[in-house]
Amino acid sequence: MAFRVDERATDFQEIDRYDGGVGWIAHPDEQMERASHALEVDGGLWLVDPVDADGLDEFLAELGPVAGVVVVLDRHKRDAASIANRHGVPVYLPRWFEGVSEEIDAPVARFTDEISDTGIRAYTLVDNRFWQEAALYDPTDDTLVVPESVGTAEYFLAGNERLGVHPMRRLSPPQESLGGFEPDRILVGHGTGITDYVTSTLEHALSGARRRAPRLYAKAIWNLL
């Protein structure tokens, strides 16, 4: 399975539909399971780290017009610019992101603690020269969006985990930044979301991250023996 597919998807898989939004995986066969999300606010859609696909505009039109495109991980520029240009909206970036706007061929708007006037709050998860990431939280329906620090794709998971900390963050898991949330759902940038036993699932992922090795890593070590 490929870790990256650059061409536009000819099909996509719907995920994480709820009253306040929906998600999709544009290339369902990818090992990375790159997930995108549309959050509905006052009838408009805010697309988070989107990957393009044939038929996406028609899919979104059933829910409402696109109000903005949001990138909350520096590496998740994905198809944000082309989708934003197609819908005539800006790409929104955290104000503290550096070196990202120069790589986005679309109008850029910045936000600090809240995306425009949506009520969706932004929280810094990682801010260094190698990794810039923000989480989003919608208090109207207790939805937490985490683009990279945790995920449900297989390479995130260890043991009996349903949600796992990113392999590169297991030695320093985001306990302080994510441990205070008690969401009704968690939407992630890789894989499908978590919608039941959400708080306990998040706590389990964070508390055991240091002592559990991801399954794919464990398989690789076993194959070397």
Side-chain angles (χ1 to χ4, degrees):
M1 290 183 291
F3 260 72
R4 180 77 184 181
V5 177
D6 290 324
E7 67 267 19
R8 182 166 166 171
T10 57
D11 197 7
F12 60 91
Q13 174 188 347
E14 178 186 316
I15 59 170
D16 301 334
R17 183 179 285 269
Y18 65 105
D19 286 345
V22 70
W24 69 95
I25 296 179
H27 299 276
D29 294 332
E30 278 186 337
Q31 192 167 10
M32 291 188 73
E33 295 184 50
R34 290 177 294 159
S36 313
H37 299 281
L39 309 181
E40 189 274 325
V41 178
D42 295 332
L45 301 180
W46 293 81
L47 310 186
V48 181
D49 294 356
V51 179
D52 210 352
D54 288 347
L56 178 62
D57 290 349
E58 292 77 10
F59 172 68
L60 296 173
E62 298 176 3
L63 303 173
V66 174
V69 175
V70 188
V71 173
V72 283
L73 178 75
D74 55 355
R75 300 186 296 276
H76 278 187
K77 294 175 285 294
R78 295 175 169 177
D79 298 313
S82 59
I83 294 174
N85 287 332
R86 205 161 66 229
H87 290 272
V89 298
V91 174
Y92 288 76
L93 300 174
R95 191 171 302 278
W96 46 272
F97 269 22
E98 295 183 357
V100 180
S101 61
E102 295 84 354
E103 299 179 12
I104 293 179
D105 189 17
V108 169
R110 297 282 189 165
F111 62 89
T112 304
D113 298 325
E114 178 184 356
I115 300 174
S116 189
D117 57 354
T118 62
I120 298 174
R121 309 295 296 177
Y123 298 86
T124 302
L125 294 184
V126 187
D127 183 13
N128 61 49
R129 58 181 296 193
F130 304 108
W131 191 319
Q132 298 172 93
E133 179 184 7
L136 302 179
Y137 187 75
D138 187 345
T140 63
D141 54 19
D142 292 316
T143 296
L144 176 64
V145 184
V146 183
E148 191 84 353
S149 283
V150 298
T152 63
E154 185 180 7
Y155 64 94
F156 277 80
L157 304 178
N160 63 348
E161 292 177 345
R162 301 169 59 220
L163 177 76
V165 173
H166 190 284
M168 297 298 293
R169 296 215 61 190
R170 282 189 173 259
L171 292 180
S172 57
Q175 183 78 52
E176 183 175 341
S177 51
L178 291 178
F181 288 101
E182 296 183 355
D184 283 347
R185 68 185 55 79
I186 298 175
L187 307 179
V188 297
H190 296 275
T192 58
I194 299 292
T195 59
D196 60 337
Y197 303 101
V198 179
T199 299
S200 60
T201 299
L202 178 60
E203 290 175 350
H204 178 69
L206 297 174
S207 63
R210 291 187 181 91
R211 62 178 183 271
R212 293 191 292 261
R215 296 170 192 165
L216 292 185
Y217 176 80
K219 289 180 183 177
I221 294 299
W222 176 260
N223 288 336
L224 293 174
L225 298 178

